[in-house]
Every structure is written in structure tokens, then in C-alpha cells.
Amino acid sequence: MDLKYVMENLRIYDKMLMNIAKKEGIREQKLEKRIKDGSVVLVKNSNRNIEPLAIGEGVHTKINANIGTSPGLVDVDYELEKAKIAVRYKADTLMDLSIGGDLNEIRTRILKETDVPLGTVPIYDAFIEQRIDMDIDSILRVIERQCEQGVDFMTIHAGITQDMIKGMKERIIPITSRGGSFILAWMIKNQRENPLYEHFDLVLDVVKEHEVVISLGDALRPAATEDATDTLQIQELINLGKLTKMARKEGVGIIIEGPGHVPLNQIKANVILEKKICDNAPFYVLGPLVTDIAVGYDHISGAIGGALAAMYGADFLCYVTPAEHLGLPSIEDVREGVIASKIAAHAADMIKLGDTTRDLDMSNARKELNWHQMFELSIDVDMKTKYSNLIDKKACTMCGEYCALKIVEEYLRN
Amino acid sequence: MDLKYVMENLRIYDKMLMNIAKKEGIREQKLEKRIKDGSVVLVKNSNRNIEPLAIGEGVHTKINANIGTSPGLVDVDYELEKAKIAVRYKADTLMDLSIGGDLNEIRTRILKETDVPLGTVPIYDAFIEQRIDMDIDSILRVIERQCEQGVDFMTIHAGITQDMIKGMKERIIPITSRGGSFILAWMIKNQRENPLYEHFDLVLDVVKEHEVVISLGDALRPAATEDATDTLQIQELINLGKLTKMARKEGVGIIIEGPGHVPLNQIKANVILEKKICDNAPFYVLGPLVTDIAVGYDHISGAIGGALAAMYGADFLCYVTPAEHLGLPSIEDVREGVIASKIAAHAADMIKLGDTTRDLDMSNARKELNWHQMFELSIDVDMKTKYSNLIDKKACTMCGEYCALKIVEEYLRN
């Protein structure tokens, strides 16, 4: 090997580490240690020209926005618009969950037109192309194709196994994971073990080459608070723990996907369990939703659960939009979903990382009734445009002349 | 005294208790015990013909919606519309915080046209009428007038005292409570003790006669997460604890108002402190907001804090609308604020009261893709109208033919 080439690569790696450490407010040495032990993963396909994203312990809680077509609604431009809105509102990653139209075209366009890590669920393509006739080879071909296209992380539902099928009938909702249901349908129909579980070594071989991170999917994530933290969910988590060990031996980055619908008082246990069973692999939760009845407002239910989960150690929040349980989100749904998740992630980072500077600055701006500064610091990047009428005011319509801040400023000054 | 009259009243009281116990799913005996020890209060002015509302330990978490005019925007019909929307979306109480226009007219109209308990802040009227020249007599006159009008509960800022003023300069935001700032301005200007603290016995005399509940206001509730749980806040809470003891001796129901802006990891301590220091008086929190930067989306920040607070024992959540920190809420803001608080309250009641029937029914309806039933059970009473296009569908636009529920139903059936 060319020593100069190795040295040059080391230099690039060091510089990248330094940049991330600076951005995340973590010491470089600590970051490097965590990347090595797998508690932090760097998300970036080696083919792709984007900034790598650090997800895991001691760095900021990241949030993901799902986009993608459905069989009944294929409008690639619209999905791209959603992607761009999500990034504008500071989603850290995107997942393309398209299941309608030309999936390769959609994916490559998103990869080209956005600059945040992109995740996918390769089993979608495999199932849509071949349904029940898919096999490990065709699945691996899809994974390889997507690696080559530049996908940065992939959900692989490798944890569900034959021994879990029987217990599913006892659940209120047996399964809600779409990718999980594709694999499950195959397993039942073919009476065979989950090919992604059996041949996980082959999956690792493919993704390793492209430095693609595997997000181990939880096919059995609860879809009802009643089903949360049940035996099936934990059995699958135990499998994910085994697969994590395999992946780490091969140097493949692993993220663990988690629930789902979880009552408030079970969230902490879910985070502790994941961290313990999966050797501190970054935890990526969907919500969690703390009630089942908030249909139309699940971004709020998800923000409640997400804030708690992240405070207890979850590292990556998948957004939930107001359209969850109803249909494909609109652009406005995407925007609201991203903002709700950002609030949850930030509220948790205030605790986890002591990241309170922005809150302090906001409070100071608020005391001074400095709208310009407040909008600069706000979670919504477009506040300034929306509330331009406030910018020059020294009060708001809530209190007018009876503004507590103003009254007291006057009296306390003397 | 006429024995027949006494017996008749006892009968009415027993029937009322029975009705509340049934509605709240609590044993009658337990409810009665808690009303006696003050851990539950019944909110209803003796002059008013509405159902009394139980707030406190072991009953459902209640939510309040604030409405009211501002000096710059006096539209009584609009405020009434807000009141009605709030009640339609299941706010348990309303507070009229009007500070613009004819305050008596607004109040009496709300009392006449709605049927949930109404709260007010009498110091608003007293200060607006007389400013710095108000005194305990004029304040008591306002309280009495409002008692006679039928107001069911009143915020009384009796906890802030002269010894706290000095420390306020050390806060990021000294004060945000509007009523608190009126009292404080008076205290500084007149160099005298808080008249509501000094003459709390007189306040009790007035409200007692009308069975009006006092909501002890926290003038020093933190307005910045940085100021949360500080010495001033706790000093005031200690005063509120003393006043609670006084009120209980007189048989006056007490609710304690609480923060405000509180980081996620201080919420539990705040609830424990209040319950301990104020002898389990019902705790009424505003939010709490878990970050300062969610301006425009504080209903989400408040739902996160409210769910946590209620799970730990807070009994009454004051809603926060998206307009918080920006101005007077619109009707749509009111609707969103109520729904966000209802989600928080319900998520907590699932834990506190084991109140999960509706979630279970929703999950079953979801499994069956029964939209009609889902919308019936939803937190939003108008879902059916908004999503009428879904009612007869057996899937949603998210997944279409690739619906996990449908795929698995098919395979698991065999």
C-alpha cells in the first residue's frame, strides 16, 4: 500500500473528526473512542459527497423526516419539495420510503438534490419487484444497487424470526412495520427463516464496502400502547443485539430502531433495555407515541414521547407528522412534523448535553422584547417572515400596555 | 335550623358526589375523603347553575383554556367564540383574562353563554380601574363583585412578598405573571407588603360565602428555563403553603398555580415540592414549557411538559396556544392549544388512573381499519367531517395496497 495515500486518508479522517467534534461540542478523543466502540456512528456513504453525520452518545439528538411516494400518489416533484422543506427546517436526515412509481429514479433524484444523509428500506424494492418470489440474492442485489446509488443508511428487518410468529396473534395489532410485514409475509408463505437474519453476514459484506450504516429495523414495533414492551418486542430486540455484535466485528455501523406506541411510563425502560442489550448502539425511535387516540395530532404525541426518550438516551428521533395514521403527509405536515421533533430533541439536549445557550439567549431577547433576536433564535426558520408585523413593536397583542415585562422593568429600575 | 332543609341539602350533596365519582371512576368514599382533606376541590360558584368540577388527586387531569380581550383588541363576540370552541374541544374550564373593554360585560356574557367553571384574575380589574391607587378594600370589592357574578375560581397572587423583590434582579426575566406584575408594581411604589398576603383572611371571608375556589397564583413563576426552580420560586411556594393552611381552616378550596418554563429534568421535583409544601393541594401548571425557543409552537413544548407534570401528579393543566409569546390567540390557536393539552392530560391519565380503554378501543378500530370508529374515539371531535373521504376506505394513502395490517391479516389468518 502506498504510504502517502494512507497518510493522506488519515489526515482527511482527522480533519473530519475535528469538524464533527467542534460542531457537536464533544472532545475529539471522546468522539473517536465512541465511534470505535460503536456508541456513535458516522452516517455517510463512501460514494456520496456530503458531510458525515454523527449519531449516538454525547452528540446532539438527530431527527429524521420520512418522505416518499405511495401506490396511489406518485409525484416525485412533490416528494422532493417535502425533502427540501424538511431540510430547510433542519431535519438531520431523510428517509425515502417510496413504494410507488420508479423507485430508482426517485431515490437518485433525492440523493442528487439534497445534502443530508439518506436512508431507505431496501426490502420495499425487493418485495415490490418480486413479491413472495424474492430471495436473499434478489434482496442483496437491491441492497448493493442502493449502496452504489449512494444511500447512506438502510433499514434492515433482520430481527424477526419464525419463533415469533405464533405469539403475534395475541397482540392487539400484530404488526405495523411495512417492511416487517413484507418479510413476515414471505416467511409465512415460504415456511422459512427470515433471509435477512440467516444471511446477515452477506448483508454486512455488501454494505461494508460502501461504509453504509445499517439501521436494524424493529418489524415488531408496537402499534398500540397496549402491545408496548411485550415479549415479542423484546425477543426481537435480543436478536438485534446479536446482529449488532456481528456487525461490529465487521466494522459496520449499527443503529437500532425502536418503538412506536409506548405509554409514558415505559419509555425509560425501553431506552435502558436497548442500550444494555445492544451494547450502547445508537437508538432510533419512531415517536414514540404516548397515546393511541391522538390521530391527526400524532406529531404532538410523538414530541412528548420523543423528548422523554431522548432525555433518557435515545439518539435519533424519527419524526411523526399530523398525517400519521391518516395518509401520506402534505408539505405542511412535513414542516410541522420536523418542528415538533426538533422541539423534542432540543428539550432533551438541554438536559443530556447541557445545551442551553440558545434558550438563555432567547430569554434575554424576550426580556428586552427584541423580536428580531427572538425570531433569529426560534425553532422556526421562517418566523421573521410570518410575524414581520411584530419586529419593531415593544410589546405584543396579548398584554399591550399591561405587559408584565415592561411594567416591572419600569419599577425595578428605580 | 330546619332539619328538613338540612336533609334535603345532604341528599343533593350525596347525589352530586355520586355523579362525580361515577364520571371520574373513583370510589365515592375516597372522593369524599379527598374533598375533605383538600387534595380534591370541587369548582363551582354556589350562585351558578353548572356541574361542579372535581380537580385533584385520583380524578382525571383537567385542562383550562384562557380567553379574553387585550387593550388593543376588544371583540367580545370573538372571545365568546373562542370560549365555545374551547368547550367544544373539551376544555374543562375557562379563564377570562380580559384586560380591554367593559370587563364586567365580557365576564357576565361568558358566564351566561358557557357551562364550564370560569376562572378570573380579580387584580386585573382592580389595577385597571385604579392603578397604583388600588388598596385592599377596592381589591376586595372586585373579588366580591366577581363572586356575585358567578365566577367559580379566582387567581389570587398572595404569595409574593417584599422580601423577594431584591432577588428578582438576579433573574434572567424577573417576572412574567401579569397579575403578579400589577401587585409587584403596587408593592414597590407604595413600599408596603402585598395586600393580598397581609389580608388573606379577608379574601377568604369573601370567597367562602360563594364557595369560590382560590387558585393561588405564582407571581414569580419562571419565564425562562434558566430561572426555573430558583430560590424565589420556592420562597413563594412556601408562602402559598402557609396560605393553603389558612384557607383550609376556613373551608375554602385551594389550587396552587405552578410554572411556567421548566427544563424536562426539573418537572418531577416541581410536582413533588408542591405536593409536599402545600399539603397535596391540587397543582395547576402553565405548560410547563420545556424549552424557551419554541415560539410559535409553544403548545407542543407545553404538551411535553404537561404530560410529564401530570404523570408525576399535576392535576390541572393550563393550555398554551401556538400564539404564546406572540400575541392574543386566534380561534384556531385556541383549538390547537386545547387539543395539545388534552393529549398531554390523557397520556398522563393512562398512567395515573390506568385510563386506557379508549386507547384499546382505538387500537382495535385501527386493526380493523374502521375509520368511523377511529374518528369517534379521536381526541378531535371534528375528525369525521375533516376526513370524511376516508370513512369507507379499507386502507390509507400512506401504504395503499402495501398496508401492513392488510398483508398480515391475510397471511396470519391461514
Side-chain angles (χ1 to χ4, degrees), chain B residues 6-23:
Chain B
V6 172
M7 293 303 287
E8 176 60 15
N9 270 305
L10 266 177
R11 205 189 55 80
I12 292 172
Y13 183 75
D14 279 348
K15 198 177 164 199
M16 181 200 67
L17 268 194
M18 200 182 71
N19 286 342
I20 295 175
K22 200 176 157 189
K23 199 164 131 188

Side-chain angles (χ1 to χ4, degrees), chain A residues 70 291-292 297 308 359 380 397, chain B residues 291-292 297 308 328 359 380:
Chain A
S70 73
T291 166
D292 306 302
Y297 305 85
L308 238 68
D359 293 85
D380 177 349
T397 59
Chain B
T291 165
D292 306 303
Y297 305 85
L308 238 69
L328 219 55
D359 293 86
D380 177 349

Side-chain angles (χ1 to χ4, degrees), chain A residues 15-148:
Chain A
K15 197 174 166 202
M16 181 199 68
L17 268 193
M18 201 182 69
N19 286 341
I20 295 175
K22 200 175 157 191
K23 199 165 131 188
E24 299 287 351
I26 184 174
R27 277 190 304 116
E28 216 177 311
Q29 225 177 350
K30 200 180 250 182
L31 177 66
E32 197 172 3
K33 187 183 156 287
R34 289 190 178 156
I35 293 169
K36 272 186 189 143
D37 71 23
S39 59
V40 169
V41 294
L42 293 185
V43 187
K44 177 190 163 310
N45 185 310
S46 58
N47 298 345
R48 210 167 165 221
N49 187 23
I50 58 167
E51 290 289 312
L53 182 76
I55 300 178
E57 198 183 332
V59 298
H60 288 87
T61 304
K62 304 302 188 295
I63 73 149
N64 172 70
N66 292 331
I67 54 160
T69 58
S70 73
L73 192 59
V74 181
D75 182 341
V76 181
D77 290 329
Y78 192 60
E79 295 307 318
L80 267 161
E81 236 185 293
K82 287 186 199 170
K84 284 170 189 171
I85 274 288
V87 174
R88 173 166 175 74
Y89 278 82
K90 314 286 185 204
D92 300 289
T93 64
L94 294 167
M95 285 192 80
D96 172 20
L97 306 185
S98 290
I99 51 169
D102 182 338
L103 305 184
N104 285 302
E105 185 211 337
I106 298 166
R107 194 177 311 115
T108 46
R109 276 198 63 192
I110 297 171
L111 282 164
K112 208 172 129 193
E113 297 186 33
T114 62
D115 62 356
V116 297
L118 182 73
T120 56
V121 189
I123 201 76
Y124 289 176
D125 290 46
F127 188 81
I128 289 168
E129 284 167 19
Q130 294 195 283
R131 301 289 169 113
I132 286 310
D133 299 325
M134 66 182 179
D135 59 17
I136 186 63
D137 291 328
S138 60
I139 298 172
L140 288 172
R141 273 198 302 277
V142 171
I143 295 175
E144 187 155 31
R145 185 170 68 214
Q146 296 197 2
C147 285
E148 282 161 4

Side-chain angles (χ1 to χ4, degrees), chain A residues 348-363:
Chain A
D349 284 347
M350 288 171 69
I351 315 303
K352 269 201 303 196
L353 309 179
D355 179 17
T356 56
T357 313
R358 205 165 142 197
D359 293 85
L360 197 57
D361 291 347
M362 175 66 96
S363 300

